[in-house]
Amino acid sequence: MAKTENKNPAAQKKVTKKVAKKVAKKSLGQPELRFGGWQYAPAPEGTDHVAIEDRYGLFINGEFVRPKSGKYFATINPATEKKIAEVAQANGKDVDRAVQAANKALPGWRKLSGDDRARYLFRIARILLERAREFAVLETLDNGKPIKETRDVDVPLAAQHFFYHAGWADKLGLLFPGELPEPVGVVGQIIPWNFPLLMAAWKIAPALAAGNTVVIKPAETSPLTALRLCEVFAQAELPAGVVNVITGDGATGQALVRHPDLNKVAFTGSTDVGKEIQKAVAGRKVDLTLELGGKAAHLVFEDAALDQAVEGVVRGIFFNQGHVCCAGSRLLVQESVHDLFVRKLQRRMARIRVGDPLDKNTDMGAIHSAEQLQRIQGLVQAGVDEGAVLFQAKAALPKKGFWFAPSMFTGVTQSHRVAREEIFGPVLSVSTFRTPEEAVVKANDTSYGLSAGIWTDKGARILWLASRMRAGVVWNNTFNRFDAASPFGGYQESGFGREGGRQGLRAYVKLRSGLLPG
Ligand code: NDP
């Protein structure tokens, strides 16, 4: 029985009233507490069901092996700064071993019928769902993102990608009528830290569906769910060498993209590293797709359902602490409703619960790393120095770990760094427009082009705007909606190639002209 519980109902009522009064007094100004002192009780998700090894090797040729480098590094929980486990640092020899394993597995895997490959993918998807709670908790521990996001977004969407691509594995011929789709070969994949499991699924599922084999490198600071996925592959009895997971830092990634036996590189990460990779594969017979950064604009018109738009803007920038390539980090709001909209946003931001990522009531978790926190702080300081006006929600941030309060700049001009550079954190910059033409010019005034959001009541205006936005994805009266069937990717410095949908599969096949057998 909990310490405060009292068996006498009258006495219990008295205690509750007293506590409520105390809480209300203490928390004047916190809007959710004004009406009777209701507070959310802590609701932490348990971690007992997640067994974590002290040390992880590399997953090569269907088993965990020690790295030839002999080196390991720690991965920490960003919310507590405590070490979770050690993972192997793969060097050039390890990378070579993994690529050789993928090469050896290729003939057998590509020879399987699409139907057989589909069975493996379905099996992986189902096991992932069966182990959903374990994956959600592990992702939250390793990444710092709230459990309600890992539970409701990362894990189910990752499973959806395996299900979706399982559905295509035996129907590739229908995707490319009159052509013979063949696997590209051995694919080297590199993923970032912001959606570790989801990005692994985005990359691995289409590659396998199309008959390729894979060597994948997760980010240095969030490798645990990709390693846990190897257990799922083993459980699904995926043939050895079809997927190999090598952990390490940027040097490991470099060794992978430079390996001469790769047929394709698929990279998701920053634009700077994307450019380096482009140079590394230039002049070689290696296919390349790049999913890079973004600086997406929300356009909010005066006729929009403003409260709904506030929710969309909040979701667009504060989801996953703003560590989202397609985050709606620039808000362009029509001048006539600017003041009202900003007031509504401030009120809403004050209600965002920042704290223990394992708590089911938490809206915003920890910033992923000390390095990322420093970058956010630096850019926010630049915003202040350049004259933009900073508003920060009064969140009680934990003492340990990496934290940043939900933040918003108003009075931002197109030349401010906070309007041009990807902050990759919970920071919104707000400026205004008067006409739809001006909105389009300002929204497109960026070196990126990954996503955009339009908020208006008028269907014709949505179509007019959407066809003029230089962005790979344009959401209308919603934001950050993802589906495995929907292609995702960018323009300009946001990269090239698409992931998801039929278009995403195109990057994993070579087409030979010739009729397919029935
Ligand atoms: P980075 O580009 O720093 O790293 C991405 C991956 O590349 C990591 O695994 C990293 O290893 C590795 N890497 C680093 N240097 C090299 C190199 N020289 N050669 C090969 N691989 C290398 O990005 P972040 O991890 O910091 O992720 C954030 C970025 O990713 C943001 O810019 C974001 O916009 C973008 N992103 C884009 C998405 C999209 O779909 N367009 C989706 C998600 C994120 P290590 O971890 O050791 O540094």
Side-chain angles (χ1 to χ4, degrees):
M1 185 182 291
K3 238 183 177 178
T4 50
E5 211 168 309
N6 192 325
K7 278 186 175 168
N8 174 345
Q12 174 68 51
K13 217 171 164 185
K14 234 177 163 180
V15 171
T16 313
K17 260 191 166 172
K18 224 168 136 187
V19 171
K21 254 190 178 170
K22 237 184 177 173
V23 172
K25 209 171 168 190
K26 251 187 156 178
S27 42
L28 276 180
Q30 284 188 36
E32 74 273 25
L33 299 177
R34 278 192 211 129
F35 308 103
W38 287 95
Q39 216 353 336
Y40 280 73
E45 173 68 66
T47 56
D48 297 348
H49 60 292
V50 187
I52 302 175
E53 309 279 336
D54 292 336
R55 207 171 231 207
Y56 288 90
L58 306 165
F59 188 73
I60 297 179
N61 205 24
E63 55 179 351
F64 281 101
V65 295
R66 288 194 184 161
K68 293 232 187 270
S69 71
K71 290 191 183 146
Y72 292 83
F73 59 92
T75 179
I76 64 160
N77 178 341
T80 61
E81 298 176 53
K82 283 196 184 134
K83 177 167 134 185
I84 310 173
E86 285 188 350
V87 294
Q89 165 76 42
N91 65 11
K93 285 184 185 150
D94 295 304
V95 170
D96 184 53
R97 200 155 47 136
V99 174
Q100 295 318 328
N103 228 330
K104 204 169 123 215
L106 184 64
W109 183 249
R110 68 186 295 169
K111 229 189 269 162
L112 278 188
S113 69
D115 190 37
D116 282 336
R117 286 200 304 274
R119 282 168 211 261
Y120 284 109
L121 289 171
F122 274 126
R123 223 183 269 170
I124 292 166
R126 277 198 301 267
I127 297 170
L128 192 51
L129 282 188
E130 275 162 23
R131 298 175 64 169
R133 202 168 145 229
E134 175 191 346
F135 270 93
V137 169
L138 191 61
E139 193 77 303
T140 288
L141 289 173
D142 203 21
N143 177 280
K145 60 173 78 190
I147 188 77
K148 73 175 171 195
E149 289 179 8
T150 53
R151 182 196 61 196
D152 299 346
V153 181
D154 298 64
V155 179
L157 259 184
Q160 193 200 41
H161 273 264
F162 283 106
F163 276 123
Y164 175 80
H165 288 97
W168 276 122
D170 61 344
K171 302 175 196 70
L172 292 175
L174 299 178
L175 277 183
F176 311 105
E179 314 242 35
L180 204 55
E182 288 182 342
V184 174
V186 175
V187 184
Q189 305 181 322
I190 299 178
I191 53 175
W193 46 258
N194 57 341
F195 290 94
L197 176 69
L198 185 57
M199 289 298 113
W202 276 31
K203 293 263 181 292
I204 295 171
L208 298 197
N212 305 280
T213 56
V214 165
V215 178
I216 187 166
K217 187 198 97 62
E220 183 184 352
T221 49
S222 59
L224 294 184
T225 45
L227 290 167
R228 182 80 34 143
L229 203 50
C230 301
E231 293 177 19
V232 172
F233 297 147
Q235 222 179 320
E237 295 173 13
L238 189 71
V242 170
V243 178
N244 305 275
V245 178
I246 49 167
T247 46
D249 57 10
T252 309
Q254 263 179 354
L256 179 59
V257 298
R258 287 179 186 164
H259 198 287
D261 293 343
L262 288 188
N263 302 106
K264 173 179 163 59
V265 170
F267 172 76
T268 297
S270 61
T271 297
D272 287 347
V273 174
K275 286 178 183 172
E276 267 185 52
I277 291 177
Q278 203 166 12
K279 282 186 210 150
V281 302
R284 291 163 52 196
K285 232 175 144 236
V286 175
D287 291 354
L288 178 66
T289 41
L290 296 176
E291 298 282 350
L292 309 175
K295 191 76 192 173
H298 278 283
L299 306 184
V300 177
F301 285 81
E302 61 188 4
D303 64 350
L306 292 187
D307 290 320
Q308 191 185 326
V310 165
E311 287 307 312
V313 170
V314 163
R315 184 182 162 82
I317 184 62
F318 301 119
F319 169 63
N320 201 29
Q321 296 72 245
H323 303 326
V324 184
C325 49
C326 53
S329 52
R330 288 184 296 148
L331 168 63
L332 297 169
V333 57
Q334 198 154 19
E335 202 173 82
S336 48
V337 288
H338 169 270
D339 293 357
L340 173 64
F341 199 75
V342 165
R343 271 201 309 277
K344 281 177 182 284
L345 265 177
Q346 288 175 339
R347 258 205 317 267
R348 180 65 182 80
M349 282 167 65
R351 287 172 167 78
I352 295 174
R353 292 168 186 281
V354 186
D356 180 6
L358 279 171
D359 192 309
K360 289 166 210 148
N361 295 320
T362 293
D363 300 313
M364 231 179 80
I367 297 301
H368 180 63
S369 63
E371 193 188 349
Q372 187 59 24
L373 179 59
Q374 224 176 0
R375 177 176 162 76
I376 296 168
Q377 287 165 337
L379 277 164
V380 167
Q381 190 55 50
V384 172
D385 294 345
E386 287 180 345
V389 181
L390 177 65
F391 167 83
Q392 288 191 304
K394 281 197 185 76
L397 303 179
K399 293 220 161 52
K400 265 282 192 211
F402 315 123
W403 306 92
F404 202 80
S407 304
M408 170 168 68
F409 278 110
T410 48
V412 175
T413 69
Q414 294 294 101
S415 62
H416 280 147
R417 284 183 68 193
V418 291
R420 308 206 71 78
E421 294 181 32
E422 187 184 40
I423 301 177
F424 221 57
V427 185
L428 180 68
S429 73
V430 187
S431 45
T432 57
F433 67 87
R434 288 182 187 167
T435 63
E437 289 78 7
E438 186 188 350
V440 169
V441 171
K442 283 187 166 170
N444 286 341
D445 180 18
T446 169
S447 57
Y448 295 107
L450 194 54
S451 68
I454 299 169
W455 298 86
T456 174
D457 189 37
K458 310 262 181 310
R461 182 182 283 160
I462 289 172
L463 294 175
W464 187 89
L465 286 162
S467 61
R468 284 163 177 76
M469 304 290 265
R470 289 213 312 268
V473 183
V474 181
W475 286 292
N476 302 135
N477 293 322
T478 187
F479 206 84
N480 271 348
R481 297 277 167 194
F482 304 100
D483 193 285
S486 177
F488 184 89
Y491 286 103
Q492 308 190 108
E493 296 211 343
S494 290
F496 50 81
R498 294 292 177 264
E499 289 193 322
R502 294 174 297 150
Q503 294 81 351
L505 271 162
R506 176 65 187 87
Y508 286 96
V509 293
K510 283 184 296 197
L511 295 181
R512 246 191 333 123
S513 289
L515 285 181
L516 277 178

